[in-house]
Amino acid sequence: MARQITLDQAEAIVSACKQEALAVGQPMNIAVVDDGGNLVAFAAMDDTKLIGVDIAQKKALTAVYFQMDTKDLVPLVQPGAALYGIEATTGGRLVVFPGGVLLRKADGTVAGGVGASAGTVDEDDQVARAGAAAFSG
Amino acid sequence: MARQITLDQAEAIVSACKQEALAVGQPMNIAVVDDGGNLVAFAAMDDTKLIGVDIAQKKALTAVYFQMDTKDLVPLVQPGAALYGIEATTGGRLVVFPGGVLLRKADGTVAGGVGASAGTVDEDDQVARAGAAAFSG
Amino acid sequence: MARQITLDQAEAIVSACKQEALAVGQPMNIAVVDDGGNLVAFAAMDDTKLIGVDIAQKKALTAVYFQMDTKDLVPLVQPGAALYGIEATTGGRLVVFPGGVLLRKADGTVAGGVGASAGTVDEDDQVARAGAAAFSG
Amino acid sequence: MARQITLDQAEAIVSACKQEALAVGQPMNIAVVDDGGNLVAFAAMDDTKLIGVDIAQKKALTAVYFQMDTKDLVPLVQPGAALYGIEATTGGRLVVFPGGVLLRKADGTVAGGVGASAGTVDEDDQVARAGAAAFSG
């Protein structure tokens, strides 16, 4: 397995997410997956919500599966849009709202994804984005 | 397991739900889960509907997972809204319509959730709410 | 749905199980299902183990599905025996060790099942049996 | 959610596991769950095996569900033994071999569980145990 992200890098991403979540004032669940969609690092902050344990991981996974941020899936999955209904596919593993961000290496290669969950979708997206900004693979 | 709700408290909630369901005239399925989302007490009233066995439990679980009543999820999951599509996530364990109510202790700590199912969503919500009103953790 | 057991009867069974569990000194998870295998009543005693939430229900279900106590399944599922491997069937819903007891009405009709879980299998069986003894449908 | 373990404590456990895994020479997947079985912290070490992502989490969960180390389940689940067949129950969420260790607070309360996976079961158990030793809740 030639993982495109190290545990050290994943933990640095989680750490940056935690800092941003503290700034936002909303304890989060934070997940980093590799380019195969497999979990590398996870942290549930104290006093977060249980819903995010699962969804943070699935946001990160979805970003990798689509090679795009989950925020950009939103218009595509609405009634009448091209991917309407896709969230019901793949055994309930996809998340189609903001908070999952794709991680790319400097050369453009997909390195993995980061997901955050427990706040509003805008807060989640902001926290995941702060994690991605801390990555330079 | 340091559960934030006792079986006695859970059974008192179920009992209050049953009384309200009798008043409403619709036999219900009633579930109480703890703050980890695990089932503590359940009752299926005579002549209720089987659909509610599963859904009452998932309503209670959803309230705990989101730390909010499931009624308040309704506007958030509509097409175009922030959490559109979320019910397809988390392995079909979430319910995004009324009837699940969060239980909080006097100090604000999440103690668990109560869910009711078999009637209209308004009836379910009314019954779950009557159960929550009987709780003072 | 012509359920062969009422909620009152199911709750009396749960109550008898609770008393026996207190006598045994092991807080239990206790479930009663109807003759269709659907949950009618459930109680998780304070300080029980989470493993039993699911397994108590599945013990009761298994008793109904096989129309026999789960204790009597034990010799049948061993390597080389007639039903070897059956526990892997039906999506993991079956339990093949003691603690699930079939409930029959006075006329022999199957009324449902009761399951107990959290102690040794002998304790579980003893508690479920005490519940069944309290039933005269 | 009144979690019995903090993220700081969970991360200290993961850190101790990582050190032990380095000493053993086998990169591991390491998971810490709370007393409700919900994931708190996870780390997949570089060059570990993918099988352990899932199994490390389930080992930690199993320890909490049974309130015992998964190592102690081994004799109980063999053909002819009391819990034979249990691993097929509960939707495939249980692990019945070594590598999951229960975490208890100083007062005996269950705080959660730690699981390690990727090496031999003895290596996994050794690594999980090193994590548990670093916990004093």
Side-chain angles (χ1 to χ4, degrees):
Chain A
M1 186 173 52
R3 198 160 250 174
Q4 300 302 307
I5 190 169
T6 65
L7 177 55
D8 279 352
Q9 289 172 322
E11 290 184 336
I13 293 168
V14 169
S15 184
C17 286
K18 283 200 281 189
Q19 279 191 286
E20 189 74 11
L22 288 173
V24 166
Q26 173 60 55
M28 297 263 176
N29 297 273
I30 303 152
V32 175
V33 303
D34 66 17
D35 61 309
N38 301 293
L39 190 63
V40 179
F42 176 87
M45 296 171 71
D46 300 342
D47 300 315
T48 187
K49 297 174 190 163
L50 287 180
I51 182 63
V53 175
D54 187 53
I55 288 190
Q57 297 182 56
K58 286 174 174 167
K59 283 178 173 177
L61 177 77
T62 303
V64 169
Y65 270 32
F66 284 89
Q67 297 190 6
M68 60 194 289
D69 299 347
T70 62
K71 186 180 193 170
D72 297 329
L73 277 171
V74 176
L76 304 179
V77 300
Q78 300 304 316
L83 299 181
Y84 173 64
I86 197 169
E87 71 277 9
T89 315
T90 320
R93 289 191 293 161
L94 302 180
V95 174
V96 294
F97 43 86
V101 173
L102 186 64
L103 301 168
R104 283 191 191 274
K105 301 175 77 165
D107 67 3
T109 313
V110 170
V114 52
S117 177
T120 66
V121 293
D122 287 341
E123 288 169 345
D124 293 352
D125 186 66
Q126 177 182 339
V127 166
R129 213 159 288 281
F135 175 69
S136 57
Chain B
M1 186 173 50
R3 202 158 246 176
Q4 300 303 306
I5 192 169
T6 65
L7 177 55
D8 279 351
Q9 289 173 322
E11 291 185 336
I13 293 168
V14 169
S15 184
C17 287
K18 283 199 283 190
Q19 279 190 285
E20 189 75 12
L22 288 173
V24 166
Q26 172 59 55
M28 297 263 174
N29 297 273
I30 303 152
V32 175
V33 304
D34 68 16
D35 62 310
N38 302 294
L39 190 63
V40 180
F42 176 88
M45 296 172 71
D46 299 344
D47 299 314
T48 187
K49 299 173 191 162
L50 286 180
I51 180 64
V53 175
D54 186 53
I55 289 189
Q57 296 183 57
K58 287 174 174 168
K59 283 179 174 177
L61 178 78
T62 303
V64 168
Y65 269 35
F66 283 90
Q67 297 187 6
M68 60 194 291
D69 299 346
T70 61
K71 186 180 193 170
D72 298 328
L73 276 171
V74 176
L76 303 179
V77 300
Q78 302 305 314
L83 299 181
Y84 175 63
I86 197 171
E87 71 277 11
T89 314
T90 319
R93 290 191 292 159
L94 302 181
V95 175
V96 294
F97 44 85
V101 173
L102 185 64
L103 302 168
R104 282 192 192 275
K105 300 175 78 165
D107 67 3
T109 314
V110 171
V114 53
S117 177
T120 66
V121 293
D122 287 340
E123 288 169 345
D124 294 352
D125 186 65
Q126 178 181 338
V127 167
R129 213 160 290 280
F135 175 71
S136 58
Chain C
M1 187 172 52
R3 198 162 250 175
Q4 299 303 307
I5 191 169
T6 64
L7 177 54
D8 279 352
Q9 290 173 322
E11 291 184 337
I13 294 168
V14 169
S15 184
C17 287
K18 283 199 282 189
Q19 278 190 285
E20 189 75 12
L22 288 172
V24 167
Q26 172 60 54
M28 297 261 174
N29 298 273
I30 303 153
V32 175
V33 304
D34 66 17
D35 61 309
N38 302 293
L39 191 62
V40 179
F42 176 88
M45 295 171 71
D46 300 343
D47 300 314
T48 188
K49 298 175 190 164
L50 287 180
I51 182 62
V53 175
D54 187 52
I55 288 189
Q57 297 182 57
K58 287 174 175 167
K59 283 179 174 176
L61 178 77
T62 303
V64 169
Y65 270 31
F66 284 89
Q67 296 190 5
M68 60 193 290
D69 298 347
T70 61
K71 186 180 193 171
D72 297 329
L73 277 170
V74 176
L76 305 179
V77 300
Q78 301 304 316
L83 299 181
Y84 174 64
I86 198 169
E87 71 277 7
T89 315
T90 322
R93 289 191 292 161
L94 302 181
V95 174
V96 294
F97 43 86
V101 173
L102 185 64
L103 301 169
R104 283 193 191 273
K105 300 174 78 165
D107 66 2
T109 315
V110 171
V114 53
S117 177
T120 66
V121 293
D122 287 340
E123 289 168 345
D124 293 353
D125 186 65
Q126 178 182 339
V127 167
R129 212 159 289 279
F135 175 70
S136 56
Chain D
M1 188 172 49
R3 200 159 247 173
Q4 300 303 307
I5 191 169
T6 65
L7 177 55
D8 279 353
Q9 290 173 321
E11 291 184 335
I13 293 168
V14 169
S15 184
C17 287
K18 283 200 282 189
Q19 279 190 286
E20 189 75 12
L22 289 172
V24 166
Q26 173 59 54
M28 296 264 174
N29 297 273
I30 303 152
V32 176
V33 303
D34 66 17
D35 63 310
N38 302 294
L39 190 63
V40 179
F42 177 87
M45 296 172 70
D46 300 343
D47 301 313
T48 187
K49 298 171 192 164
L50 286 181
I51 180 64
V53 175
D54 186 51
I55 288 188
Q57 296 182 57
K58 287 175 174 166
K59 283 180 174 177
L61 178 77
T62 302
V64 168
Y65 268 35
F66 284 89
Q67 296 186 8
M68 60 194 289
D69 299 346
T70 62
K71 185 180 193 171
D72 297 328
L73 277 171
V74 176
L76 303 179
V77 299
Q78 301 305 315
L83 299 181
Y84 175 63
I86 198 170
E87 70 277 11
T89 313
T90 318
R93 290 190 293 161
L94 301 182
V95 175
V96 294
F97 43 85
V101 173
L102 186 64
L103 302 168
R104 281 192 192 275
K105 300 175 76 164
D107 67 3
T109 314
V110 171
V114 53
S117 178
T120 66
V121 293
D122 287 340
E123 288 169 345
D124 293 353
D125 186 65
Q126 178 181 338
V127 166
R129 214 159 287 280
F135 175 70
S136 57

